[in-house]
Amino acid sequence: MRKLFFLLLATFSLCTHAKDEFVVSYFSNGMDSESYNVELLKLALEKTRKTYGDYRLSPLVTTSTLTARRLLTILIKNEVPNLVVVLTYADRYRPPENLTFIDFPVDLGLLGWRICFVSPQVKEKIKTAQSLADLRQYSIVQGLNWSDGNILRENGFRVIELPEFPSLFKMVASGRADLFCRGVNELPNEYQQFEDIGNLYYDESFLLHYKMPLFFHLHSSNTLAKKRIHAGLKIAYADGSVERLWLASHKASILFAKIPQRKVFHLKNTAADKAPKSYEQYLINPQTIDP
């Protein structure tokens, strides 16, 4: 009986520990581009460890067969509690009864600064562009249902959408599209990754800039996770930890882009204009980053 009592006690302790464990999940595709987002999430949880206790980050490995729609459904239906997903601000992501977001820009606004891969046929001609009107004569390829497509169309561009990511680089390298625009933080790694396609060039004369705030989104029922992560982000921003992480992750890409020598064309984004303005206090202009 005594052995049975201790066995039952040990089992109860294990069950209680498992029940109390604070687990935060995120989608993982194994790409380097997601590492900053994960590190920022971890930083927020670390900054609140004393107040909220221990935690565990749990990656949910995604595959090419899992569509963006399916991944969003997992979040909306709360199939994985405390699932945190980085999404741009857009009304279509937010059925009010299902989703909420943490009012802090994950990348401090960097993704809204765009450099374009350019086709061999127009890479010299496009350098003479002096206005958005000059740029609108060129076609732009984007991923299917990306927020960028809506932004570009709103600003008068002709957009071609494709579902397969590698095909976007092939489209512009082959001249079937003129431009394929990426975030400053995405350009160097992707140029290296797809350089062997051949005839893959990136423009060095201009930048597109538009509001494109990225937020951590959660199911609205996960109130504790939202409260903890938001508190941690504010602490980490105030003590400089967020900016240090941001610079460690992105400064090399910003310098690679040689932003000061580029013309900047500003685009409107009506969807982002609907977001609360409080996130703008955290934005960093990459034009201000010194070598």
Side-chain angles (χ1 to χ4, degrees), residues 30-66:
M31 295 177 65
D32 291 340
S33 59
E34 75 182 14
S35 60
Y36 167 80
N37 298 344
V38 177
E39 288 301 313
L40 182 64
L41 184 58
K42 181 179 179 180
L43 179 63
L45 293 169
E46 281 291 337
K47 292 294 182 180
T48 52
R49 185 189 288 272
K50 288 183 179 179
T51 304
Y52 289 90
D54 292 336
Y55 68 91
R56 178 166 62 86
L57 276 173
S58 177
L60 303 177
V61 179
T62 63
T63 66
S64 58
T65 59
L66 282 173

Side-chain angles (χ1 to χ4, degrees), residues 100-139:
T100 185
F101 70 97
I102 295 171
D103 190 11
F104 186 96
V106 171
D107 67 344
L108 309 186
L110 187 58
L111 194 63
W113 296 83
R114 315 292 283 185
I115 293 176
C116 302
F117 289 99
V118 60
S119 70
Q121 292 90 335
V122 304
K123 71 184 183 73
E124 294 301 324
K125 181 182 176 183
I126 205 167
K127 294 177 183 178
T128 65
Q130 297 299 318
S131 66
L132 283 176
D134 293 335
L135 290 178
R136 289 188 183 107
Q137 65 181 296
Y138 301 107
S139 62

